[in-house]
Amino acid sequence: MHLPMDDVQAFVMVAELGSFTRAAERLALTQTGLTRRIQRLEGYVGLPLLDRTTRRTSLTAAGREFLPLAKRVVEDLTHGLERLRTTARLSAGDVTLATMPAVAYQRLPGVLEAYARRHPGNRVMLLERSGALVTEAVRRGDAEFGIHIAGEPQEDLAEDLLSADPLVLVCHPGHALASRASVVWAELREDDLITLGGSSGNRALVESQLARVGLPGRGRFVVENTPSAMALAATGVAVAILPSSAGRGLLPGAMERGVMERGALEGGALVEVPLVEPVLHRRLGLVRRRREALTPASAALYRMLLPK
């Protein structure tokens, strides 16, 4: 059913001004065009709404009954459209973003601080999920977009690459490998390892490479997230295999020549050593639903997260 909103607006204008001439001027229409709109609306409802003579224009009984509803419809539509225009112009609104906990801890605070300054009225909700659960939160519509481990292209999702971070060995500065320029994967057979389990996006990459060099896919210690792996590595009990970005950004400016001060872990320290032969990368990507446009508020944050 086609709702004749232009015709309803024309009726309200004539009723309020009491004149076809003034209403036509206000709407930038010819009187013939305005008359057609009123006739079309009356034909739609099946009743005359206006009595028009050469001297005056007045409402019929049906017109008097319809006018309050017509005015509310026009006002609600006008206000609704203005709110949408304001939302688009100011990128106003709420944002729901799914992300892995380590990314939320390391990469997002600075971006969110800048976003809050640009859009002080917006609210951001973070859904912290592990690995593939980020992707599923976006696919189900629980989040408008997400930061996940980039994988094979998927028909229903669009993706923009954020970074490709090499996997490194993370260990206590006193460990025998801490001073090495690099470590070959096969050399890890002498060490107790900390690996990520559960739905970690890095799990399959690490486990398959360990298997290639004849090592068990699961380390002596299996944890659910990167901060836990780093906390355990800081004690010196074992070494962790993590993306290099896990060592950057926890404490801004603290990373220098591979050593990261870990004030949050009782003053300990961690060292990153490159893993080679081969060098493997964890690829981070922004993911969104392919056939659905982001809201202005979400699009503004999405653009801020993209590499410059």
Side-chain angles (χ1 to χ4, degrees):
M1 181 175 62
H2 172 68
L3 297 178
M5 289 304 303
D6 288 345
D7 303 344
V8 174
Q9 182 189 34
F11 165 72
V12 170
M13 190 67 67
V14 172
E16 289 183 336
L17 297 178
S19 166
F20 268 71
T21 301
R22 291 199 297 271
E25 291 173 353
R26 186 73 62 86
L27 294 172
L29 293 171
T30 65
Q31 289 199 46
T32 300
L34 178 60
T35 298
R36 287 200 187 100
R37 289 193 180 186
I38 298 301
Q39 290 173 341
R40 192 164 55 220
L41 178 62
E42 290 176 331
Y44 183 86
V45 300
L47 291 169
L49 300 174
L50 293 166
D51 282 329
R52 183 185 184 190
T53 66
T54 55
R55 303 183 60 180
R56 61 189 295 271
T57 298
S58 61
L59 292 168
T60 65
R64 288 193 296 273
E65 181 180 349
F66 179 57
L67 180 60
L69 175 60
K71 291 176 67 174
R72 286 198 302 272
V73 169
V74 172
E75 289 171 359
D76 288 348
L77 179 61
T78 300
H79 293 159
L81 290 173
E82 284 302 315
R83 285 196 298 271
L84 288 177
R85 286 167 58 86
T86 299
T87 294
R89 186 174 68 255
L90 301 179
S91 298
D94 297 340
V95 181
T96 302
L97 162 64
T99 181
M100 297 172 294
V103 174
Y105 187 48
Q106 298 155 23
R107 297 181 177 227
L108 285 179
V111 176
L112 292 180
E113 187 272 336
Y115 182 80
R117 281 190 280 106
R118 294 186 191 180
H119 307 284
N122 292 6
R123 179 174 59 185
V124 179
M125 178 181 294
L126 295 182
L127 303 181
E128 296 186 42
R129 303 286 188 268
S130 296
L133 298 182
V134 170
T135 313
E136 287 309 306
V138 174
R139 179 175 280 116
R140 290 194 307 266
D142 297 336
E144 292 179 81
F145 68 95
I147 303 175
H148 75 159
I149 305 295
E152 295 298 320
Q154 301 185 52
E155 183 179 352
D156 60 332
L157 299 174
E159 188 171 78
D160 290 294
L161 184 66
L162 283 179
S163 64
D165 307 306
L167 294 182
V168 297
L169 187 73
V170 178
C171 62
H172 189 276
H175 192 276
L177 297 175
S179 60
R180 294 276 297 274
S182 62
V183 174
V184 175
W185 285 85
E187 295 179 289
L188 298 177
R189 65 181 69 256
E190 303 299 326
D191 294 279
D192 289 328
L193 298 180
I194 305 162
T195 58
L196 298 179
S199 57
S200 166
N202 300 319
R203 177 179 176 180
L205 182 64
V206 172
E207 289 183 356
S208 62
Q209 177 56 32
L210 290 173
R212 288 190 192 100
V213 297
L215 293 174
R218 294 170 69 83
R220 181 182 179 188
F221 301 96
V222 181
V223 298
E224 289 291 320
N225 55 64
T226 298
S228 295
M230 299 182 76
L232 192 54
T235 69
V237 69
V239 298
I241 300 171
L242 298 169
S244 63
S245 60
R248 293 197 290 269
L250 288 172
L251 297 175
M255 191 71 184
E256 185 172 354
R257 292 193 304 276
V259 179
M260 180 189 65
E261 296 301 323
R262 289 288 291 152
L265 295 173
E266 300 179 350
L270 289 172
V271 173
E272 288 188 352
V273 184
L275 284 167
V276 297
E277 298 183 21
V279 176
L280 299 181
H281 292 83
R282 185 276 309 270
R283 298 169 65 249
L284 279 182
L286 283 172
V287 61
R288 66 191 189 280
R289 292 181 291 281
R290 186 179 297 277
R291 299 174 183 86
E292 184 175 324
L294 295 173
T295 65
S298 293
L301 180 56
Y302 194 98
R303 288 191 298 269
M304 292 178 68
L305 287 165
L306 288 171
K308 301 299 186 286

